[in-house]
Amino acid sequence: MSDELSLTRGYNLLRMNADTENREATFTLSGREYELLEGVFSPTLCPSTEIYAQWLPYPAGGRFLEIGAGAGVISVTAALSGCARVTALDINERAVENTRRNVARHGVADRVQVLHSDMYSALEGRARFDLVFWSSSFIEPSTDFAHETPLHHAIFDPGYVMHQEFLRSAADHLAPGGRLLLGYSNMGNRELLTEVAGNAGLRFEQLHAAQHPQLADVEYQLLEFHAADRSAS
């Protein structure tokens, strides 16, 4: 997909998320109802959250970390899917509050910790997880782009700076045998992602792909990262 078309669709998604007049206070996804606060990315305006939530191999009895929890759908799903401990992080304070409310709504507060965090910054140094996941801000605008609101962070990553930090610091928070997964799309800059991964000593494989239900040229992908010297599976 062209950079121009990806950027146009990113701005359209931003406008829809910023539309407070037509925004519902609750939404239903995969048969569960969630609260939605203003200023938080809405999982109903884009199918990616529901798709990734269905694909993720939640480690039963294990520890799950979600970067960019948003409204908390995936973290709640992880807890309800058998993860013993879930940590949900988000740079958006409204998203942190939104996730906490939905964690309480679904009765999993005893298993889910929600923290305000820029990537991994709020984690204790020894925190380790069996699965680390980020539904990434895969649309790459120009490098002079400014994140004017928290919603911009949920959609855009100029220069893939956030992707760099996600991959560079992941090893510090993976348990032995832990898995590092990224929700991605063909609207992203895969060439740049490959470069960023290589700089972090990683390579990736695509585990799943699915077409957008309304946009035939949009595909959502689940990628898994491994040490670059690991032989291809």
Side-chain angles (χ1 to χ4, degrees):
M1 183 180 297
S2 71
D3 295 344
E4 183 177 353
L5 182 55
S6 293
L7 196 56
T8 296
R9 286 186 168 156
Y11 277 112
N12 286 340
L13 189 56
L14 179 67
R15 281 193 290 272
M16 288 189 292
N17 271 282
D19 180 3
T20 56
E21 283 189 19
N22 298 306
R23 191 176 179 88
E24 299 289 342
T26 62
F27 65 92
T28 300
L29 218 61
S30 300
R32 297 188 184 109
E33 187 177 76
Y34 298 88
E35 185 172 349
L36 181 65
L37 300 182
E38 288 186 14
V40 178
F41 186 90
S42 172
T44 63
L45 296 175
C46 175
S48 58
T49 299
E50 188 167 28
I51 289 171
Y52 300 145
Q54 293 170 352
W55 282 343
L56 283 168
Y58 302 105
R63 296 155 293 177
F64 178 88
L65 172 65
E66 182 182 16
I67 305 289
V73 171
I74 287 178
S75 286
V76 166
T77 303
L80 293 175
S81 298
C83 293
R85 296 298 305 167
V86 176
T87 301
L89 309 178
D90 207 294
I91 195 172
N92 179 356
E93 292 188 33
R94 294 289 286 169
V96 172
E97 175 61 22
N98 206 155
T99 295
R100 285 179 177 150
R101 292 190 188 191
N102 284 322
V103 163
R105 174 186 285 257
H106 290 283
V108 292
D110 60 327
R111 281 161 280 166
V112 183
Q113 179 185 37
V114 188
L115 300 173
H116 180 229
S117 184
D118 184 355
M119 281 296 166
Y120 307 97
S121 64
L123 295 177
E124 295 180 2
R126 296 182 181 180
R128 297 290 184 273
F129 302 89
D130 301 295
L131 196 153
V132 174
F133 172 73
W134 177 36
S135 175
S136 84
S137 311
F138 45 72
I139 295 179
E140 187 211 7
S142 61
T143 53
D144 60 353
F145 174 90
H147 282 120
E148 298 174 6
T149 71
L151 283 172
H152 286 74
H153 278 277
I155 300 169
F156 303 104
D157 185 13
Y160 271 22
V161 173
M162 290 189 289
H163 286 77
Q164 291 177 45
E165 179 59 19
F166 174 71
L167 297 174
R168 183 183 65 83
S169 299
D172 296 335
H173 300 289
L174 283 172
R179 303 178 69 178
L180 179 64
L181 277 72
L182 183 76
Y184 200 67
S185 170
N186 66 336
M187 290 187 286
N189 185 339
R190 192 144 176 161
E191 182 178 348
L192 180 55
L193 180 65
T194 301
E195 178 184 335
V196 167
N199 290 339
L202 300 171
R203 63 171 183 84
F204 60 85
E205 61 178 318
Q206 184 169 297
L207 301 182
H208 297 284
Q211 182 181 306
H212 190 294
Q214 282 84 43
L215 302 173
D217 59 341
V218 174
E219 181 181 83
Y220 295 103
Q221 305 157 355
L222 184 65
L223 310 180
E224 181 166 11
F225 291 79
H226 307 286
D229 59 354
R230 174 174 165 174
S231 59
S233 51

